[in-house]
Amino acid sequence: MTSDQAPIPAPVPAPVPAPVPARTRIGAAVGLLLLSPICAEYLIGYDQIISNPLDMLTGLLVLGPLYGTVAVLIREVARRTGRGWPTMMLLSAAFGLIQAGVIDQSLFNPDFVHEASWDDDRLPTFLAGLGVSVKHVVGFVGGHVIWSFCAPIGVVESCVPRIAGRPWLGRVGITVMIVLYGLGALVIFKEHSRQFLATPAQFGTVGLFALALAVAAFAIPRRFPRRAADGRGGGRVPPTWAAGCGAVVLMGAHQLSSPGWGGVALNVAALVLAGGALVWWSGRPDWGPVHVLAVCGAALVVNAALSFVVEPLGDTSPVVKYGANGVLMVVVLLLLGWARRRLRFTAAAPRPLEGARSA
């Protein structure tokens, strides 16, 4: 090097993420493992189990492995591969289709529920050639995407904002989740297959669609926040209150749509609009964790509120039913309030250089 040449600066090493205690990561995974089935099965209070709190607690031993493990695995895969909500929504749709079409076979079983309301909901859009109700396909799969998987993921990540974008489990934890899911799915499949078994063609069709959704989840390119030419944010996003209110309206329309073809059209439009808006805005740098909490929290509030007007299947005690509805609503509000506090505290806390600890 000649004397008039400036020295080449040494490359700056990338910051090393600060280590996270195992109890924090495992606690977050367990929280998601439990919140997922509660949101999927208990929050709206449609089943007669709502009148028996003890059965609700013991039911988590089966529903946790069936729903919660999937939510944990979907999140883990997305975060480990650097992907976001588009991938998580597509994987949720794939697992939701497997759940309703293969594991409990509610998509195809005409006597899945021995109530007149089941046929009232199923028959107006029933396609005899496929043996399936379009209303049920949209309702069941959409319900799994929102309440079984995506909303619980968003709420639990908001409770642990410092590790929201990082993996929570290692190989052992992931293996445990896979084994638990297999056992839970087997128990439910055997239970529902005693009286009804879908045809091989129906199983095959569900498997092909689920596979296509899973492939699409990883075929879409990874997205990075868009930025304008001046280096600032690449587009406006709605304020958090507007995102939350919009989510309430669209998810309420999804849940309250009528059984006929007009209701299905409204249902599909609400889901497409909600999903499209989330995908569009989540790629912008101004879309933050508070927006995610507003949307996902709105999903929980919608079902908790609707539980007071939903008539459970079977015989239930009104006192116990409304008591359980009230308790779940309070728990939801407390959980969302705590998650918002955690986000506010994390945003206000000074952020030391994470790489400094390794120096």
Side-chain angles (χ1 to χ4, degrees):
M1 180 177 66
T2 61
S3 58
D4 60 345
Q5 288 179 317
I8 300 175
V12 178
V16 178
V20 179
R23 65 178 180 274
T24 302
R25 295 183 287 103
I26 295 174
V30 172
L32 182 52
L33 184 73
L34 296 176
L35 183 61
S36 173
I38 291 173
C39 291
E41 293 291 339
Y42 295 166
L43 204 56
I44 200 169
Y46 75 93
D47 196 277
Q48 61 184 357
I49 197 175
I50 196 72
S51 66
N52 193 325
L54 183 59
D55 285 350
M56 292 174 67
L57 290 175
T58 56
L60 291 177
L61 297 176
V62 175
L63 297 177
L66 185 64
Y67 292 107
T69 57
V70 174
V72 172
L73 290 171
I74 287 173
R75 185 212 164 271
E76 198 72 13
V77 168
R79 296 312 183 196
R80 283 179 175 273
T81 57
R83 297 174 181 276
W85 286 106
T87 291
M88 286 194 281
M89 287 191 293
L90 287 169
L91 289 177
S92 296
F95 274 104
L97 196 55
I98 291 294
Q99 167 69 20
V102 176
I103 297 175
D104 65 24
Q105 303 167 70
S106 54
L107 279 183
F108 304 114
N109 187 351
D111 300 313
F112 186 78
V113 174
H114 296 286
E115 295 280 347
S117 58
W118 180 257
D119 282 341
D120 292 341
D121 203 49
R122 182 179 70 95
L123 293 178
T125 58
F126 182 71
L127 302 178
L130 300 176
V132 69
S133 166
V134 177
K135 164 72 172 177
H136 280 179
V137 172
V138 175
F140 293 170
V141 177
H144 282 307
V145 171
I146 299 171
W147 285 280
S148 299
F149 307 129
C150 287
I153 289 172
V155 170
V156 174
E157 284 193 341
S158 299
C159 294
V160 286
R162 292 195 185 278
I163 60 171
R166 295 167 60 176
W168 292 347
L169 300 178
R171 292 182 180 179
V172 173
I174 292 174
T175 301
V176 169
M177 291 294 140
I178 293 174
V179 171
L180 286 177
Y181 173 66
L183 292 175
L186 181 61
V187 168
I188 297 298
F189 177 79
K190 291 185 68 174
E191 176 67 24
H192 287 284
S193 297
R194 292 179 180 178
Q195 303 296 330
F196 175 86
L197 189 65
T199 66
Q202 289 172 330
F203 282 140
T205 301
V206 169
L208 288 175
F209 276 101
L211 179 61
L213 288 168
V215 170
F218 295 101
I220 56 177
R222 292 183 180 87
R223 299 189 310 160
F224 300 95
R226 297 187 294 272
R227 293 193 175 274
D230 58 3
R232 294 181 296 181
R236 291 185 176 182
V237 297
T240 53
W241 66 265
C245 291
V248 167
V249 171
L250 293 176
M251 294 178 195
H254 165 74
Q255 291 289 60
L256 297 173
S257 61
S258 62
W261 288 106
V264 168
L266 174 64
N267 199 332
V268 170
L271 291 176
V272 170
L273 184 57
L278 180 59
V279 169
W280 179 256
W281 282 324
S282 65
R284 296 182 171 183
D286 289 339
W287 180 270
V290 180
H291 289 89
V292 174
L293 178 60
V295 172
C296 295
L300 272 60
V301 171
V302 165
N303 270 10
L306 288 177
S307 68
F308 290 95
V309 296
V310 168
E311 184 177 350
L313 301 170
D315 297 325
T316 59
S317 164
V319 174
V320 179
K321 167 202 156 35
Y322 289 117
N325 296 153
V327 169
L328 287 173
M329 173 61 90
V330 170
V331 170
V332 164
L333 295 178
L334 289 175
L335 177 62
L336 297 181
W338 185 63
R340 182 66 184 92
R341 185 169 179 268
R342 291 282 296 170
L343 290 174
R344 187 181 295 112
F345 175 79
T346 302
R351 289 180 174 271
L353 292 176
E354 293 182 322
R357 295 189 179 186
S358 63

